[in-house]
Structures are given as C-alpha cells and as structure tokens.
Amino acid sequence: MTANQFLLEELVETLQTFLIENHPSWLKLNFSKIYNSSFQTDFKALQNYCNDIIAKHPNLIFESTDFNSLPEAALVSIIQREDLQLEESKIWDYMIQWGTAQNKILPSNLDDWIDKDFRILKNSLQQCLPHIRYFQISSGNIMEKVFPYQQILDKTLWADILKYFMAPDKPITSTILPPRKIVTTQLPNRGNAFQITSSIITNEHAAEIASWIDNKEVTYEVNNNPYEFNLILRGSRDGFERDKFWNLCDKKKNLLVVVKVKDTDEILGGYNPIGWNCFYSGWYSTTNDSFIFSLKNGNIKNHILSRVTKASNAIYNTSYGLNFGCYDFGMKEDHSFYVNSSFVYEKQIRKLSGTFSIDDYEVFQIKKK
C-alpha cells in the first residue's frame, strides 16, 4: 500500500466517524441514500452504523422508496443479522420483492411464470436464500408465501421444510438457522427513549414541534417528549392522491403534516388540532391553536413558526386535501404543494410564494402519552 493510499483510507475513516458522531440527524434524514452509497464506496463504518439502526427499525429501509435499488451486498448484510426485528415471513416477502424488481422481464402475474422465470429469480437471490429462517416461518405462511416460489429453493431444502411441518419426527439434513432475537418492546412512556417513525423529521424536530403545541418557550428534551407521533399517512407508501388523504385523515383530530420540498433541505409543515372534514368542503373551521412552520435542517439554519392570527379562517376544508388558512399552506390537486403570502397566519413560512414539488409528505396523529 502506498503512502497516498494509506492517507486516503485514514481520511475516509475519519470522515465516517465525524458524520456518525456529529451529524446523526442528517444521516437519518438521508438514511436510504447514504446507506446505498456506503456499499457503493465500501464505507464499512457507515455500513455497520446503518445496519445497527436497520436491525432495530427495519422499516427505514424495507419501506423506503429506494428499497428495490438496494445493492445485493446491503440486502444480504441485513437479512443475515440475528437481531433483525422483523417477522421471517415478511423478510421473505421483501426478498422476493427485491429479487423480482431486479428482473424487469419477469411477468407481473405469477400464474404466467414458466420454469425459466423461476431460474432467473433464483439466480438473483442465490446470496440471500441461505439466510432465511425457513423453519421459523409458520406452516400457514409457508403454504401462502413460500409454496408459490418453491422452485427457487433446492429440492432437498423444500422436502425438509415439508417434513418439518408434516412429519416432525423424520430427520432432516438441511441447516436449521436459529430464530432471530426479537426484542419485545413496549410503547414508550414519559422519560423513556423516544423514536419517531418518519423519513422526513427527526426526534429533535418532533421535540421542537411538541414544545410549540404546548406553547413552551424551552424545547422539550428528546426523551421527555410528552406526545406520541402516530404515522397515519406517508405519500410514498400510501399514495399522493387526495382520496388517500381523505380515507386516512378525514375527521381525525390533532394532525401534524410535514413536507419535504423536492431537491432542497426545506421541511415545511403545520399542526391542525381540530382536523379536516370532507363533508364541509368549501367551509372554514375555527381554532386558536393551529400553526404552520419551516424547520431547521441542513442549510436551513433557522426555523419559522407562524401561529394563526385569524382563528375563524384557521383551517380550510377543500376537496383537494389539507389546507391551512386562506391558502397560506396546503396541497393542490396535482399532488404539489403551495405557500402564499400569509393572510391568516403570522408570517409566510417560505421565501418564495407559489407552487412547489415535494419528495414526500407525512401526516401524524398526535396524542398525549
């Protein structure tokens, strides 16, 4: 190894350590992209850091819009972990989803598959298949989920799986991997570790928003957040159509909306304590406690908090979806969002007025612990 190569490797290690120790919130907000990149560049420290998080919170990757583009080595490194907090049948489902996505030529309808199609899928998953705990999957899920894809398994393994469930006294030759070490967790109580399920905001953001809800001048400590943030809608997961919004959010109270503006560090949002009601489309709803905001994130160094000033026009019920004030901030029919000069709230939460595209948006229902 040359001196230059050694210095470069040392620099890479230092950079990874710096990011992990000093910018964990930034890493979380850009989690899937950073995770993918860490395997493309062989950043071992970042890989291990991310894998430890994924083991505890697998939805960060498995429910990510980038999941199907995950490098094979990354997927293998996840599913081989004994502490992956995910049911084995769901791991199987995600693995099949990933493998199918790597081969666009495969028919979308499994009934149309021929032997060649199963061979293609088996070849794509050859590094993943040995890490599935087949004997930890229930018999019902074996028949429902594994049986349709039995051709991608070695014949001996499939025969052993059948014997295991149908004739448990018969000897089998296949390796039986131990069950994963699933940790039984309880809902966090006040004072316990707080963890928000979000691809847009961090625990620190949630603590700041909670302090705004309670009109606190001092921001809550992350682990003393008095609220639960229950994710009820994510655009990239549930769909961006207005019908999806109304189906999941209609008449629900204490709603928090957060939006990631496309190709920027901007995170915008609003809190609506009384909810939206599709039945009253075209009508305003009154509250003194709603607010809209822009969060600190990346290059955005300061937050903007804008509380309602005209309570009678605080919330507008429109068929398009969520709306704060007299079109101060809200959703348009084409799935884009907008910010306009503030008529109902204290100040405008974005420098530029008008419509903008988003990467994603989420709606949480907030409730006291």
Side-chain angles (χ1 to χ4, degrees), residues 55 205 245 247 304 331:
H205 288 142
F245 172 80
N247 288 340
I304 299 174
M331 177 192 294

Side-chain angles (χ1 to χ4, degrees), residues 280-319:
Y280 294 115
S281 180
W283 293 72
Y284 286 97
S285 298
T286 301
T287 177
N288 288 302
D289 299 319
S290 61
F291 54 82
I292 56 179
F293 56 82
S294 171
L295 295 174
K296 291 182 290 187
N297 182 52
N299 292 324
I300 312 299
K301 301 303 181 184
N302 297 297
H303 71 249
I304 299 174
L305 172 61
S306 181
R307 295 190 180 275
V308 64
T309 56
K310 297 180 181 178
S312 60
N313 298 112
I315 302 299
Y316 185 54
N317 299 289
T318 169
S319 61

Side-chain angles (χ1 to χ4, degrees), residues 55-57 85 181-189 192-193 195:
K56 297 176 183 177
H57 308 286
Q85 303 298 295
K181 299 174 182 177
I182 302 297
V183 178
T184 302
T185 57
Q186 297 179 337
L187 289 175
N189 295 317
N192 288 354
Q195 181 65 45

Side-chain angles (χ1 to χ4, degrees), residues 261 264 266 268 294 304 327-329 337-342 348-356:
V261 180
T264 75
E266 290 180 271
L268 309 179
S294 171
I304 299 174
Y327 297 99
D328 291 35
F329 169 60
F337 277 69
Y338 58 83
V339 165
N340 290 315
S341 298
S342 187
Q348 188 169 319
I349 59 172
R350 193 171 191 242
K351 289 182 179 180
L352 298 176
S353 297
T355 302
F356 55 89

Side-chain angles (χ1 to χ4, degrees), residues 37 64 70 84 104 106 207 229 326 348 368:
S37 299
S64 165
L70 199 67
L84 180 59
K104 305 300 183 183
L106 294 176
F229 287 63
C326 187
Q348 188 169 319
K368 282 279 190 180

